[in-house]
Amino acid sequence: LFTLFVLGIEVIGGLVANSLALLSDAAHMFMDTFSLCLSWFALKISDRPSTQTKTYGYHRVEIFVALLNGILLILLSLVILCEAFQRFIHPEEIKTRIVIIVAIVGLLTNLVILYFLKNPATHMHDLNLKSAFYHVLGDSLASVGVIIGGIIMINTGWYVLDAIIGASIGILLIFGAKSIVSDSLHILLEGVPKGISIQEVERELMASAHRIIAF
């Protein structure tokens, strides 16, 4: 609901201010709304008990949704980079004061969302929550970039700065998405859990086998 609120504010603000940056961020918010809905759905599904045919339950749904969110982040980052390139070639004058006000509202709202999502004990070990966290973090960074860029553009009229900030945010999002996609694929492909040493497991098994034979 918070994300939908920011989405509506940014669409209206982007149209009034003739700001492609705000409209692009609104598209970002739309994707985040979709991703957060997927994350919520995955959490609900994963709570369902196991059955005779699904003896491990539905916990892998969270990993699958995390993978989907990571892919969406990468695609969204590429869109941001393309938009930044277009604005770099053809910078347009915008109503920067409106842009700054809307960006501040968006930033404050995203900080509220991050407060609820950021739980050090869980979200860094839950790929589903981690992917949702990165989505909202990307929005917060975008808002900060728009605010800083708006302040500079008011004083200098250097509108190409909007494209530079947008490209920087897109690159940061790609790095965050890469980690989510990599971890998700590793789990779905039954990779060795992090922190587990195959050599140590082999030594323990061999030691147990020798003890059994000796017994």
Coordinates of all heavy atoms in Angstrom, one line a residue, residues 16-111:
V16 N 3.2 16.4 -14.2 CA 3.1 17.9 -13.9 C 4.5 18.5 -14.2 O 4.6 19.6 -14.8 CB 2.6 18.2 -12.5 CG1 2.7 19.7 -12.2 CG2 1.2 17.7 -12.3
A17 N 5.6 17.9 -13.7 CA 6.9 18.5 -13.8 C 7.6 18.2 -15.2 O 8.7 18.6 -15.4 CB 7.8 17.9 -12.7
N18 N 6.9 17.4 -16.0 CA 7.5 16.9 -17.3 C 8.9 16.3 -17.0 O 9.9 16.5 -17.7 CB 7.7 18.2 -18.2 CG 8.2 17.7 -19.6 OD1 7.7 16.7 -20.1 ND2 9.0 18.5 -20.3
S19 N 8.9 15.4 -16.0 CA 10.1 14.8 -15.6 C 10.1 13.3 -16.0 O 9.3 12.5 -15.4 CB 10.3 14.9 -14.1 OG 11.4 14.1 -13.6
L20 N 11.0 12.9 -16.9 CA 11.2 11.5 -17.3 C 11.7 10.7 -16.2 O 11.4 9.5 -16.0 CB 12.1 11.4 -18.5 CG 12.3 10.0 -19.1 CD1 10.9 9.4 -19.5 CD2 13.2 10.1 -20.3
A21 N 12.6 11.4 -15.3 CA 13.2 10.7 -14.2 C 12.1 10.2 -13.2 O 12.1 9.0 -12.8 CB 14.1 11.6 -13.5
L22 N 11.1 11.0 -12.9 CA 10.1 10.6 -12.0 C 9.2 9.6 -12.6 O 8.7 8.6 -11.9 CB 9.2 11.8 -11.6 CG 9.8 12.7 -10.4 CD1 8.8 13.8 -10.1 CD2 10.0 11.9 -9.2
L23 N 8.9 9.7 -13.9 CA 8.0 8.7 -14.6 C 8.7 7.4 -14.6 O 8.1 6.3 -14.5 CB 7.6 9.2 -16.0 CG 6.7 10.4 -16.0 CD1 6.5 10.9 -17.4 CD2 5.4 10.0 -15.4
S24 N 10.0 7.4 -14.9 CA 10.8 6.1 -14.9 C 10.8 5.5 -13.5 O 10.7 4.3 -13.4 CB 12.2 6.4 -15.4 OG 12.3 6.9 -16.7
D25 N 11.0 6.3 -12.5 CA 11.0 5.8 -11.1 C 9.6 5.3 -10.8 O 9.4 4.3 -10.0 CB 11.4 6.9 -10.1 CG 11.7 6.3 -8.8 OD1 12.4 5.3 -8.7 OD2 11.3 6.9 -7.7
A26 N 8.5 5.9 -11.3 CA 7.2 5.4 -11.1 C 7.0 4.0 -11.7 O 6.4 3.1 -11.1 CB 6.2 6.3 -11.8
A27 N 7.6 3.8 -12.9 CA 7.7 2.4 -13.5 C 8.4 1.5 -12.6 O 8.0 0.3 -12.4 CB 8.3 2.5 -14.9
H28 N 9.5 2.0 -12.0 CA 10.3 1.2 -11.0 C 9.4 0.8 -9.9 O 9.4 -0.4 -9.4 CB 11.5 2.0 -10.6 CG 12.4 1.2 -9.7 ND1 13.6 1.8 -9.2 CD2 12.5 -0.1 -9.3 CE1 14.2 0.9 -8.5 NE2 13.6 -0.2 -8.6
M29 N 8.6 1.7 -9.4 CA 7.7 1.5 -8.2 C 6.6 0.5 -8.6 O 6.2 -0.4 -7.8 CB 7.1 2.8 -7.8 CG 8.0 3.8 -7.2 SD 8.9 3.2 -5.7 CE 7.5 3.1 -4.6
F30 N 6.1 0.5 -9.9 CA 5.1 -0.4 -10.3 C 5.7 -1.8 -10.3 O 5.1 -2.8 -9.8 CB 4.7 -0.1 -11.7 CG 3.7 -1.1 -12.3 CD1 2.4 -1.1 -11.9 CD2 4.2 -2.1 -13.2 CE1 1.5 -2.0 -12.5 CE2 3.3 -3.0 -13.7 CZ 1.9 -2.9 -13.4
M31 N 7.0 -2.0 -10.7 CA 7.6 -3.3 -10.7 C 7.8 -3.7 -9.3 O 7.7 -4.9 -8.9 CB 9.0 -3.2 -11.4 CG 8.9 -2.9 -12.9 SD 8.0 -4.2 -13.8 CE 9.1 -5.5 -13.7
D32 N 8.1 -2.8 -8.4 CA 8.3 -3.1 -7.0 C 7.0 -3.6 -6.3 O 7.0 -4.5 -5.5 CB 8.9 -1.9 -6.2 CG 10.4 -1.8 -6.4 OD1 11.0 -2.7 -7.0 OD2 10.9 -0.7 -6.0
T33 N 5.9 -2.9 -6.7 CA 4.6 -3.3 -6.2 C 4.3 -4.8 -6.6 O 3.9 -5.6 -5.8 CB 3.5 -2.4 -6.7 OG1 3.8 -1.1 -6.4 CG2 2.2 -2.8 -6.1
F34 N 4.6 -5.1 -7.8 CA 4.4 -6.5 -8.3 C 5.3 -7.4 -7.6 O 4.9 -8.5 -7.2 CB 4.8 -6.5 -9.8 CG 4.7 -7.9 -10.4 CD1 3.5 -8.5 -10.6 CD2 5.8 -8.5 -10.9 CE1 3.4 -9.8 -11.2 CE2 5.8 -9.8 -11.4 CZ 4.5 -10.4 -11.6
S35 N 6.6 -7.1 -7.3 CA 7.5 -7.9 -6.7 C 7.2 -8.2 -5.2 O 7.3 -9.3 -4.7 CB 9.0 -7.3 -6.7 OG 9.4 -7.2 -8.1
L36 N 6.7 -7.1 -4.5 CA 6.3 -7.2 -3.1 C 5.1 -8.1 -3.0 O 4.9 -8.9 -2.1 CB 6.0 -5.8 -2.5 CG 7.2 -5.0 -2.3 CD1 6.8 -3.6 -1.9 CD2 8.1 -5.6 -1.2
C37 N 4.2 -8.0 -4.0 CA 3.0 -8.9 -4.0 C 3.4 -10.4 -4.2 O 2.9 -11.3 -3.5 CB 2.0 -8.5 -5.1 SG 1.1 -7.0 -4.8
L38 N 4.4 -10.6 -5.0 CA 4.9 -11.9 -5.2 C 5.6 -12.4 -3.9 O 5.4 -13.6 -3.6 CB 6.0 -12.0 -6.4 CG 5.4 -11.9 -7.8 CD1 6.6 -11.9 -8.8 CD2 4.5 -13.1 -8.1
S39 N 6.3 -11.6 -3.3 CA 7.0 -12.0 -2.0 C 6.0 -12.3 -1.0 O 6.1 -13.3 -0.2 CB 7.9 -10.9 -1.5 OG 8.9 -10.6 -2.5
W40 N 4.9 -11.5 -0.9 CA 3.9 -11.8 0.1 C 3.2 -13.2 -0.2 O 3.0 -14.0 0.7 CB 2.9 -10.7 0.1 CG 1.6 -11.0 0.9 CD1 1.5 -10.8 2.3 CD2 0.4 -11.5 0.5 NE1 0.2 -11.2 2.7 CE2 -0.5 -11.6 1.6 CE3 -0.1 -11.9 -0.8 CZ2 -1.8 -12.1 1.5 CZ3 -1.4 -12.3 -0.9 CH2 -2.2 -12.4 0.3
F41 N 2.9 -13.4 -1.5 CA 2.3 -14.6 -1.9 C 3.2 -15.8 -1.6 O 2.7 -16.9 -1.1 CB 2.1 -14.6 -3.4 CG 1.6 -15.9 -4.0 CD1 0.3 -16.3 -3.8 CD2 2.4 -16.7 -4.8 CE1 -0.2 -17.5 -4.3 CE2 2.0 -17.9 -5.3 CZ 0.7 -18.3 -5.1
A42 N 4.5 -15.7 -1.8 CA 5.5 -16.8 -1.5 C 5.5 -17.1 0.0 O 5.6 -18.2 0.4 CB 6.9 -16.4 -2.0
L43 N 5.5 -16.0 0.8 CA 5.5 -16.3 2.3 C 4.2 -17.0 2.7 O 4.3 -17.9 3.6 CB 5.6 -14.9 3.0 CG 6.9 -14.2 2.9 CD1 6.8 -12.8 3.5 CD2 8.0 -15.0 3.7
K44 N 3.1 -16.7 2.1 CA 1.9 -17.4 2.5 C 1.9 -18.8 2.0 O 1.5 -19.7 2.8 CB 0.7 -16.7 1.8 CG 0.4 -15.3 2.4 CD 0.0 -15.4 3.9 CE -0.4 -14.1 4.5 NZ -0.7 -14.1 5.9
I45 N 2.4 -19.1 0.8 CA 2.4 -20.4 0.3 C 3.4 -21.3 1.1 O 3.2 -22.5 1.4 CB 2.9 -20.4 -1.2 CG1 1.7 -19.8 -2.1 CG2 3.2 -21.8 -1.7 CD1 0.5 -20.6 -2.1
S46 N 4.6 -20.7 1.4 CA 5.6 -21.5 2.1 C 5.1 -21.9 3.5 O 5.7 -22.8 4.1 CB 6.9 -20.7 2.3 OG 6.7 -19.5 3.1
D47 N 4.1 -21.2 4.1 CA 3.6 -21.6 5.4 C 2.7 -22.8 5.4 O 2.3 -23.4 6.4 CB 2.8 -20.4 6.0 CG 3.8 -19.4 6.6 OD1 5.0 -19.7 6.8 OD2 3.3 -18.2 6.7
R48 N 2.3 -23.2 4.2 CA 1.4 -24.4 4.0 C 2.1 -25.7 4.5 O 3.3 -25.8 4.2 CB 0.9 -24.5 2.6 CG 0.0 -23.4 2.1 CD -0.3 -23.5 0.7 NE -1.1 -24.7 0.4 CZ -1.5 -25.0 -0.8 NH1 -1.2 -24.2 -1.9 NH2 -2.2 -26.1 -1.0
P49 N 1.4 -26.6 5.1 CA 2.1 -27.8 5.6 C 2.4 -28.7 4.5 O 1.9 -28.6 3.4 CB 1.0 -28.4 6.5 CG -0.3 -27.9 6.0 CD 0.0 -26.5 5.5
S50 N 3.4 -29.6 4.7 CA 3.7 -30.6 3.7 C 2.6 -31.6 3.5 O 1.7 -31.8 4.4 CB 5.0 -31.4 4.1 OG 4.8 -32.0 5.4
T51 N 2.6 -32.3 2.3 CA 1.6 -33.3 2.0 C 2.3 -34.6 1.7 O 3.5 -34.7 1.7 CB 0.7 -32.8 0.8 OG1 1.6 -32.7 -0.3 CG2 0.1 -31.5 1.1
Q52 N 1.5 -35.6 1.3 CA 2.1 -36.9 1.0 C 2.8 -36.8 -0.3 O 3.8 -37.6 -0.6 CB 1.0 -38.0 0.9 CG 0.4 -38.4 2.2 CD -0.7 -39.5 2.1 OE1 -1.2 -39.7 1.0 NE2 -1.0 -40.1 3.2
T53 N 2.4 -36.0 -1.2 CA 3.1 -35.8 -2.5 C 4.2 -34.7 -2.5 O 5.0 -34.7 -3.3 CB 2.1 -35.5 -3.6 OG1 1.4 -34.3 -3.3 CG2 1.1 -36.7 -3.8
K54 N 4.0 -33.8 -1.6 CA 5.0 -32.7 -1.4 C 5.6 -32.8 0.0 O 5.3 -31.9 0.9 CB 4.4 -31.3 -1.7 CG 3.9 -31.2 -3.2 CD 3.3 -29.8 -3.4 CE 2.9 -29.7 -4.9 NZ 1.9 -30.7 -5.3
T55 N 6.4 -33.8 0.2 CA 6.9 -34.1 1.6 C 7.8 -33.0 2.2 O 8.0 -32.9 3.4 CB 7.6 -35.4 1.6 OG1 8.7 -35.4 0.6 CG2 6.7 -36.5 1.2
Y56 N 8.4 -32.2 1.3 CA 9.3 -31.1 1.8 C 8.5 -29.8 1.9 O 9.1 -28.8 2.3 CB 10.5 -30.9 0.8 CG 11.5 -32.0 0.9 CD1 11.5 -33.0 0.0 CD2 12.5 -31.9 1.9 CE1 12.5 -34.0 0.1 CE2 13.4 -32.9 2.0 CZ 13.4 -34.0 1.1 OH 14.4 -35.0 1.2
G57 N 7.2 -29.8 1.7 CA 6.4 -28.6 1.8 C 6.6 -27.7 0.7 O 7.0 -28.1 -0.4
Y58 N 6.4 -26.4 0.9 CA 6.4 -25.4 -0.2 C 7.4 -24.3 0.0 O 7.3 -23.2 -0.6 CB 5.0 -24.7 -0.3 CG 3.9 -25.7 -0.7 CD1 3.2 -26.5 0.3 CD2 3.4 -25.8 -2.0 CE1 2.2 -27.3 -0.1 CE2 2.4 -26.6 -2.4 CZ 1.8 -27.4 -1.4 OH 0.8 -28.2 -1.8
H59 N 8.5 -24.6 0.8 CA 9.5 -23.6 1.1 C 10.2 -23.1 -0.2 O 10.7 -22.0 -0.2 CB 10.4 -24.1 2.2 CG 9.8 -24.4 3.5 ND1 9.4 -23.4 4.3 CD2 9.4 -25.5 4.1 CE1 8.8 -23.9 5.4 NE2 8.8 -25.2 5.3
R60 N 10.4 -24.0 -1.1 CA 11.1 -23.7 -2.3 C 10.4 -22.6 -3.2 O 11.0 -22.0 -4.1 CB 11.4 -24.9 -3.2 CG 12.5 -25.8 -2.7 CD 13.8 -25.1 -2.7 NE 14.8 -25.9 -2.0 CZ 15.6 -26.8 -2.6 NH1 15.4 -27.1 -3.9 NH2 16.5 -27.5 -1.9
V61 N 9.1 -22.4 -2.9 CA 8.4 -21.3 -3.6 C 9.1 -19.9 -3.3 O 9.2 -19.1 -4.2 CB 6.9 -21.3 -3.2 CG1 6.2 -20.0 -3.8 CG2 6.2 -22.5 -3.6
E62 N 9.5 -19.8 -2.1 CA 10.2 -18.5 -1.7 C 11.5 -18.3 -2.6 O 11.8 -17.2 -3.0 CB 10.6 -18.5 -0.2 CG 9.4 -18.3 0.7 CD 9.9 -18.0 2.1 OE1 10.4 -16.9 2.3 OE2 9.7 -18.9 3.0
I63 N 12.2 -19.4 -2.8 CA 13.4 -19.3 -3.6 C 13.1 -19.0 -5.0 O 13.8 -18.2 -5.7 CB 14.3 -20.6 -3.5 CG1 14.5 -21.0 -2.0 CG2 15.6 -20.5 -4.2 CD1 15.2 -20.0 -1.2
F64 N 12.1 -19.6 -5.5 CA 11.7 -19.4 -6.9 C 11.3 -17.9 -7.1 O 11.7 -17.3 -8.1 CB 10.5 -20.3 -7.3 CG 10.0 -20.1 -8.7 CD1 10.7 -20.5 -9.8 CD2 8.8 -19.4 -8.9 CE1 10.2 -20.2 -11.1 CE2 8.3 -19.2 -10.1 CZ 9.0 -19.6 -11.2
V65 N 10.5 -17.4 -6.2 CA 10.1 -16.0 -6.3 C 11.3 -15.1 -6.1 O 11.4 -14.0 -6.8 CB 9.0 -15.7 -5.2 CG1 8.7 -14.2 -5.1 CG2 7.7 -16.4 -5.5
A66 N 12.2 -15.4 -5.3 CA 13.4 -14.6 -5.1 C 14.2 -14.6 -6.5 O 14.7 -13.5 -6.9 CB 14.3 -15.2 -4.0
L67 N 14.3 -15.7 -7.2 CA 14.9 -15.8 -8.5 C 14.2 -14.9 -9.5 O 14.8 -14.1 -10.2 CB 14.9 -17.2 -9.0 CG 15.5 -17.4 -10.4 CD1 16.9 -17.0 -10.5 CD2 15.3 -18.9 -10.8
L68 N 12.8 -14.9 -9.4 CA 12.0 -14.1 -10.3 C 12.3 -12.6 -10.0 O 12.4 -11.8 -11.0 CB 10.6 -14.5 -10.2 CG 9.6 -13.7 -11.1 CD1 9.9 -13.9 -12.6 CD2 8.2 -14.1 -10.8
N69 N 12.3 -12.3 -8.8 CA 12.5 -10.9 -8.4 C 13.9 -10.4 -8.8 O 14.1 -9.3 -9.3 CB 12.4 -10.7 -6.9 CG 11.0 -10.6 -6.4 OD1 10.1 -10.3 -7.2 ND2 10.7 -10.8 -5.1
G70 N 14.9 -11.3 -8.7 CA 16.3 -10.9 -9.1 C 16.3 -10.7 -10.6 O 17.0 -9.7 -11.1
I71 N 15.6 -11.5 -11.4 CA 15.6 -11.3 -12.9 C 14.9 -10.0 -13.2 O 15.3 -9.2 -14.1 CB 14.9 -12.5 -13.5 CG1 15.7 -13.7 -13.4 CG2 14.6 -12.2 -15.0 CD1 15.1 -15.0 -13.9
L72 N 13.8 -9.7 -12.5 CA 13.1 -8.4 -12.7 C 13.9 -7.2 -12.4 O 13.9 -6.2 -13.1 CB 11.8 -8.4 -11.8 CG 10.6 -9.3 -12.2 CD1 9.5 -9.2 -11.2 CD2 10.1 -8.9 -13.6
L73 N 14.7 -7.4 -11.3 CA 15.7 -6.3 -11.0 C 16.7 -6.0 -12.1 O 16.9 -4.9 -12.5 CB 16.4 -6.6 -9.7 CG 15.8 -6.1 -8.4 CD1 16.6 -6.7 -7.2 CD2 15.7 -4.6 -8.3
I74 N 17.2 -7.1 -12.7 CA 18.1 -6.9 -13.8 C 17.5 -6.3 -15.0 O 18.0 -5.3 -15.6 CB 18.7 -8.3 -14.2 CG1 19.6 -8.8 -13.0 CG2 19.6 -8.2 -15.5 CD1 20.2 -10.2 -13.3
L75 N 16.3 -6.7 -15.4 CA 15.6 -6.1 -16.5 C 15.2 -4.7 -16.2 O 15.4 -3.8 -17.1 CB 14.3 -6.9 -16.8 CG 14.4 -8.4 -17.2 CD1 13.1 -9.1 -17.4 CD2 15.2 -8.4 -18.6
L76 N 14.8 -4.4 -15.0 CA 14.5 -3.0 -14.7 C 15.7 -2.1 -14.7 O 15.7 -1.0 -15.2 CB 13.9 -3.0 -13.2 CG 13.4 -1.6 -12.7 CD1 12.3 -1.1 -13.7 CD2 12.9 -1.8 -11.3
S77 N 16.9 -2.7 -14.3 CA 18.1 -1.9 -14.3 C 18.5 -1.6 -15.8 O 19.0 -0.5 -16.1 CB 19.2 -2.7 -13.7 OG 18.9 -3.0 -12.3
L78 N 18.3 -2.5 -16.7 CA 18.6 -2.3 -18.1 C 17.7 -1.2 -18.7 O 18.1 -0.4 -19.5 CB 18.5 -3.6 -18.9 CG 19.5 -4.7 -18.5 CD1 19.1 -6.0 -19.3 CD2 20.9 -4.2 -18.8
V79 N 16.4 -1.2 -18.2 CA 15.5 -0.1 -18.7 C 16.0 1.2 -18.2 O 16.0 2.2 -19.0 CB 14.1 -0.4 -18.2 CG1 13.2 0.8 -18.5 CG2 13.5 -1.7 -18.9
I80 N 16.4 1.3 -16.9 CA 16.9 2.5 -16.4 C 18.1 3.0 -17.2 O 18.3 4.2 -17.5 CB 17.3 2.3 -14.9 CG1 16.0 2.1 -14.1 CG2 18.0 3.6 -14.4 CD1 16.2 1.8 -12.6
L81 N 19.1 2.1 -17.5 CA 20.3 2.5 -18.2 C 19.9 3.0 -19.6 O 20.5 4.0 -20.1 CB 21.2 1.3 -18.3 CG 21.9 0.8 -17.0 CD1 22.7 -0.4 -17.2 CD2 22.8 1.9 -16.5
C82 N 18.9 2.4 -20.3 CA 18.5 2.8 -21.6 C 17.9 4.2 -21.5 O 18.2 5.1 -22.3 CB 17.5 1.9 -22.2 SG 18.2 0.3 -22.7
E83 N 17.0 4.5 -20.5 CA 16.4 5.8 -20.3 C 17.5 6.8 -20.0 O 17.4 8.0 -20.5 CB 15.4 5.7 -19.2 CG 14.2 4.9 -19.5 CD 13.3 5.5 -20.5 OE1 13.4 6.7 -20.8 OE2 12.5 4.8 -21.1
A84 N 18.5 6.4 -19.2 CA 19.6 7.4 -18.8 C 20.3 7.8 -20.1 O 20.7 8.9 -20.3 CB 20.5 6.7 -17.8
F85 N 20.6 6.8 -21.0 CA 21.3 7.1 -22.2 C 20.5 8.0 -23.1 O 21.1 9.0 -23.7 CB 21.5 5.8 -23.0 CG 22.3 5.9 -24.3 CD1 23.6 6.2 -24.3 CD2 21.6 5.8 -25.5 CE1 24.3 6.4 -25.5 CE2 22.2 6.0 -26.7 CZ 23.6 6.3 -26.7
Q86 N 19.2 7.9 -23.2 CA 18.4 8.8 -24.0 C 18.4 10.2 -23.4 O 18.5 11.2 -24.1 CB 16.9 8.2 -24.0 CG 16.8 6.9 -24.8 CD 17.1 7.1 -26.3 OE1 16.9 8.1 -26.9 NE2 17.7 6.1 -26.9
R87 N 18.3 10.3 -22.1 CA 18.3 11.6 -21.5 C 19.7 12.3 -21.6 O 19.8 13.5 -21.6 CB 17.9 11.5 -20.0 CG 16.4 11.2 -19.8 CD 16.0 11.2 -18.3 NE 16.1 12.6 -17.8 CZ 15.1 13.5 -17.9 NH1 14.0 13.1 -18.5 NH2 15.3 14.7 -17.4
F88 N 20.8 11.4 -21.6 CA 22.1 12.0 -21.8 C 22.3 12.6 -23.2 O 22.9 13.7 -23.3 CB 23.1 10.9 -21.6 CG 24.6 11.4 -21.6 CD1 25.1 11.9 -20.4 CD2 25.3 11.3 -22.7 CE1 26.4 12.4 -20.4 CE2 26.6 11.8 -22.8 CZ 27.2 12.3 -21.6
I89 N 21.6 12.0 -24.2 CA 21.7 12.5 -25.5 C 20.8 13.7 -25.7 O 21.2 14.7 -26.3 CB 21.4 11.4 -26.6 CG1 22.4 10.3 -26.5 CG2 21.4 12.0 -28.0 CD1 22.1 9.1 -27.4
H90 N 19.6 13.6 -25.2 CA 18.6 14.7 -25.3 C 18.1 15.1 -24.0 O 16.9 14.8 -23.6 CB 17.4 14.2 -26.2 CG 17.8 13.7 -27.6 ND1 18.3 14.5 -28.6 CD2 17.9 12.4 -28.1 CE1 18.6 13.8 -29.6 NE2 18.4 12.5 -29.4
P91 N 18.8 15.9 -23.2 CA 18.4 16.4 -21.9 C 17.2 17.4 -22.1 O 17.2 18.2 -23.0 CB 19.6 17.0 -21.3 CG 20.5 17.4 -22.5 CD 20.2 16.3 -23.5
E92 N 16.2 17.3 -21.2 CA 15.1 18.2 -21.3 C 14.9 19.0 -20.0 O 15.2 18.5 -18.9 CB 13.8 17.4 -21.5 CG 13.7 16.6 -22.9 CD 12.4 15.9 -23.0 OE1 11.5 16.1 -22.2 OE2 12.3 15.1 -24.0
E93 N 14.4 20.2 -20.1 CA 14.2 21.0 -19.0 C 13.0 20.5 -18.2 O 12.0 20.1 -18.8 CB 14.0 22.5 -19.4 CG 13.9 23.4 -18.2 CD 13.7 24.9 -18.6 OE1 13.8 25.1 -19.8 OE2 13.5 25.7 -17.7
I94 N 13.2 20.4 -16.9 CA 12.1 19.9 -16.0 C 11.8 20.9 -14.9 O 12.7 21.8 -14.6 CB 12.4 18.6 -15.4 CG1 13.7 18.6 -14.6 CG2 12.6 17.5 -16.5 CD1 14.1 17.3 -13.9
K95 N 10.7 20.8 -14.2 CA 10.3 21.6 -13.1 C 11.0 21.0 -11.8 O 10.3 20.1 -11.2 CB 8.8 21.7 -13.0 CG 8.2 22.4 -14.2 CD 6.7 22.4 -14.0 CE 6.0 23.1 -15.3 NZ 4.6 23.1 -15.2
T96 N 12.2 21.3 -11.6 CA 13.0 20.6 -10.5 C 12.4 20.8 -9.1 O 12.6 19.8 -8.3 CB 14.4 21.2 -10.6 OG1 14.4 22.6 -10.5 CG2 15.1 20.8 -11.8
R97 N 11.7 21.8 -8.8 CA 11.2 22.0 -7.4 C 10.1 20.9 -7.2 O 10.1 20.3 -6.1 CB 10.6 23.4 -7.2 CG 11.6 24.5 -7.4 CD 11.1 25.9 -7.1 NE 12.0 26.9 -7.4 CZ 13.0 27.3 -6.7 NH1 13.2 26.7 -5.5 NH2 13.8 28.3 -7.1
I98 N 9.3 20.7 -8.1 CA 8.2 19.6 -8.0 C 8.9 18.3 -7.9 O 8.5 17.4 -7.1 CB 7.3 19.7 -9.2 CG1 6.5 21.0 -9.2 CG2 6.3 18.5 -9.1 CD1 5.5 21.1 -10.4
V99 N 9.9 18.1 -8.7 CA 10.7 16.8 -8.7 C 11.3 16.5 -7.3 O 11.2 15.4 -6.7 CB 11.8 16.8 -9.7 CG1 12.7 15.6 -9.6 CG2 11.2 16.8 -11.1
I100 N 11.9 17.6 -6.7 CA 12.5 17.4 -5.4 C 11.4 17.1 -4.3 O 11.6 16.2 -3.5 CB 13.3 18.7 -5.0 CG1 14.5 18.9 -5.9 CG2 13.7 18.6 -3.5 CD1 15.2 20.2 -5.7
I101 N 10.3 17.8 -4.3 CA 9.3 17.5 -3.3 C 8.7 16.1 -3.4 O 8.6 15.4 -2.4 CB 8.1 18.6 -3.5 CG1 8.6 20.0 -3.2 CG2 6.9 18.2 -2.6 CD1 7.6 21.1 -3.5
V102 N 8.5 15.7 -4.7 CA 7.9 14.3 -4.9 C 9.0 13.3 -4.4 O 8.6 12.3 -3.8 CB 7.5 14.1 -6.3 CG1 7.1 12.7 -6.6 CG2 6.4 15.0 -6.7
A103 N 10.2 13.5 -4.8 CA 11.3 12.6 -4.4 C 11.5 12.5 -2.9 O 11.7 11.4 -2.4 CB 12.6 13.0 -5.0
I104 N 11.3 13.6 -2.2 CA 11.4 13.6 -0.7 C 10.2 12.7 -0.1 O 10.5 11.9 0.8 CB 11.3 15.0 -0.1 CG1 12.6 15.7 -0.5 CG2 11.1 15.0 1.4 CD1 12.7 17.2 -0.1
V105 N 9.0 12.9 -0.7 CA 7.9 12.1 -0.2 C 8.2 10.6 -0.5 O 7.9 9.7 0.4 CB 6.6 12.5 -0.9 CG1 5.5 11.6 -0.6 CG2 6.2 13.9 -0.5
G106 N 8.7 10.3 -1.7 CA 9.0 8.9 -2.0 C 10.1 8.3 -1.1 O 10.0 7.2 -0.6
L107 N 11.1 9.1 -0.8 CA 12.2 8.7 0.1 C 11.7 8.4 1.5 O 12.0 7.3 2.1 CB 13.3 9.7 0.2 CG 14.4 9.4 1.1 CD1 15.2 8.1 0.7 CD2 15.4 10.6 1.2
L108 N 10.9 9.3 2.1 CA 10.4 9.0 3.4 C 9.5 7.8 3.5 O 9.5 7.0 4.4 CB 9.6 10.3 3.9 CG 10.4 11.6 4.1 CD1 9.4 12.7 4.4 CD2 11.4 11.4 5.2
T109 N 8.7 7.6 2.4 CA 7.8 6.4 2.4 C 8.6 5.1 2.3 O 8.4 4.1 3.0 CB 6.8 6.5 1.2 OG1 6.1 7.8 1.3 CG2 5.8 5.4 1.3
N110 N 9.7 5.2 1.4 CA 10.5 4.0 1.3 C 11.3 3.7 2.6 O 11.5 2.5 2.9 CB 11.5 4.2 0.1 CG 10.8 4.0 -1.2 OD1 10.0 3.2 -1.4 ND2 11.2 4.9 -2.2
L111 N 11.7 4.7 3.3 CA 12.3 4.5 4.6 C 11.4 3.7 5.6 O 11.9 2.9 6.4 CB 12.8 5.8 5.2 CG 14.0 6.4 4.4 CD1 14.3 7.8 5.1 CD2 15.2 5.5 4.4

